[in-house]
C-alpha cells in the first residue's frame, strides 16, 4: 500500500526542539563552529553544496582565530595596541555577521530536514513511488480479471503502445513483444523469446504461471509481480 501524503507523520515537538542545536552551536561559539550544522545538513539532505558552504564558514572561522591571535594583549587580557584593537573589532564584526547569516541559512535547512519526505526523515520517496506502482499494478490486474475488454482498451500491460492509463509497470504476456516482456520482467532476451515461442505454439497463456516452464525459478517472483495475461 502506498503512503499518502496526508498520512506522513509530522516531526514531534521534541524533534523540533532538539533540532535547535544548529543555532545553539552557531551562537554559542560566536560563529566559530557555524560550519558544523552545514556538515550535518549536507549528510542528512545528501547535498554536496552544503559541504562547500561548511568549508567557507570553516575558513572564516580560521580567519577570525588568526585575527584574534594577532591582537597583542597585556597580562589582564586587554588589547594594548591600536592595531590589535582594530583586528579584534574586525574579528568581532565578522563573528556577528557569521552568526546572523549562518542562523538565517540554518533556519531554512532545519525546515527542510524536518519536512516529511526529506532524506533521512519520513518515508523514502523512492520507496513511496515503488509502493504506489505496486498498488497500481494490483488495481490494473483486478481490472484485467473483471473486465478484459476495458483492460485491452486501456492497453494494460502494453507499455510499447501509446496510452494514458498507468498500470504500474505491468506487461501482457499474451500480447507484448519479447523485448518488452524482457524489460518489464527483468529477463534475458533468450528467455523472453522463448515465452513468445511457447505463446504462439499454445495459442496464448491462461495464467501467468503457464510461462514458468520457460522462466528460471529465480525470476518467478518478478514475473508474478509484473505480468498479466489478457485474451489475444
Amino acid at each position: 500500500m502506498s503512503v499518502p501524503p496526508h498520512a506522513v507523520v509530522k516531526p514531534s515537538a521534541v524533534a523540533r526542539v532538539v533540532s535547535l542545536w544548529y543555532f545553539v552551536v552557531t551562537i554559542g561559539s560566536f560563529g566559530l563552529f557555524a560550519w558544523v550544522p552545514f556538515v550535518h545538513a549536507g549528510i542528512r539532505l545528501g547535498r554536496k553544496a552544503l559541504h562547500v558552504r561548511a568549508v567557507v564558514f570553516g575558513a572564516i572561522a580560521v580567519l577570525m582565530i588568526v585575527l584574534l591571535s594577532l591582537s597583542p594583549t597585556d597580562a589582564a587580557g586587554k588589547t594594548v595596541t591600536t592595531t590589535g584593537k582594530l583586528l579584534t573589532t574586525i574579528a568581532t564584526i565578522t563573528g556577528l555577521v557569521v552568526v546572523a547569516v549562518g542562523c538565517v541559512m540554518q533556519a531554512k535547512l532545519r525546515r527542510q530536514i524536518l519536512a516529511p519526505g526529506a532524506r533521512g526523515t519520513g518515508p523514502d520517496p523512492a520507496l513511496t513511488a515503488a509502493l504506489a506502482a505496486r498498488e497500481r499494478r494490483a488495481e490494473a490486474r483486478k481490472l484485467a480479471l473483471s473486465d478484459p475488454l476495458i483492460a485491452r482498451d486501456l492497453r494494460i500491460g502494453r507499455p510499447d503502445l501509446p496510452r494514458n492509463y498507468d498500470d504500474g509497470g505491468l506487461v501482457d504476456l499474451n500480447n507484448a513483444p519479447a523485448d518488452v516482456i524482457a524489460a518489464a520482467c527483468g529477463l534475458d532476451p533468450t528467455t523472453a523469446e522463448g515465452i513468445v515461442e511457447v505463446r504462439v505454439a499454445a495459442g496464448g497463456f491462461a495464467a501467468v504461471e503457464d510461462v514458468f516452464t520457460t522462466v528460471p525459478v529465480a525470476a518467478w517472483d518478478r514475473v508474478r509481480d509484473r505480468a498479466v495475461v489478457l485474451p489475444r
Side-chain angles (χ1 to χ4, degrees):
M1 179 180 294
S2 62
V3 182
H6 62 270
V8 175
V9 178
K10 293 183 178 180
S12 65
V14 174
R16 290 195 294 271
V17 171
V18 171
S19 67
L20 291 174
W21 71 266
Y22 276 21
F23 309 125
V24 173
V25 169
T26 298
I27 297 173
S29 67
F30 200 66
L32 292 177
F33 292 104
W35 57 272
V36 175
F38 291 103
V39 173
H40 177 266
I43 294 173
R44 291 293 299 274
L45 297 174
R47 289 160 50 185
K48 293 182 180 180
L50 293 177
H51 295 294
V52 175
R53 194 175 298 178
V55 171
V56 172
F57 275 88
I60 295 175
V62 172
L63 175 62
M64 291 168 58
I65 294 174
V66 170
L67 290 175
L68 292 174
S69 66
L70 293 177
S71 304
T73 58
D74 56 19
K78 296 182 179 180
T79 304
V80 295
T81 66
T82 302
T83 301
K85 292 180 180 180
L86 177 61
L87 293 176
T88 300
T89 300
I90 293 174
T92 300
I93 294 175
T94 301
L96 291 173
V97 172
V98 167
V99 169
V101 174
C103 285
V104 170
M105 292 182 175
Q106 291 162 10
K108 181 178 179 180
L109 293 174
R110 176 175 170 269
R111 289 194 297 270
Q112 293 174 358
I113 290 175
L114 291 175
R119 179 171 172 173
T121 62
D124 183 89
L127 175 60
T128 301
L131 291 174
R134 176 184 288 177
E135 185 172 288
R136 289 194 296 272
R137 288 196 296 275
E139 293 174 352
R141 190 175 283 111
K142 289 180 181 178
L143 179 59
L145 289 173
S146 62
D147 199 328
L149 293 179
I150 289 183
R152 286 186 64 118
D153 289 341
L154 294 175
R155 294 177 175 173
I156 288 176
R158 297 303 305 273
D160 54 309
L161 299 177
R163 58 180 183 169
N164 295 318
Y165 182 78
D166 184 1
D167 60 16
L170 286 178
V171 62
D172 180 8
L173 298 179
N174 267 345
N175 297 284
D179 60 324
V180 175
I181 294 175
C185 296
L187 303 173
D188 61 83
T190 302
T191 300
E193 289 289 351
I195 291 175
V196 173
E197 290 175 4
V198 173
R199 177 177 78 194
V200 173
F205 302 114
V208 171
E209 289 74 13
D210 292 346
V211 305
F212 287 173
T213 56
T214 309
V215 176
V217 175
W220 285 9
D221 287 341
R222 172 78 176 184
V223 173
R224 285 194 185 97
D225 182 55
R226 296 305 177 98
V228 67
V229 290
L230 290 172
R232 299 198 68 186

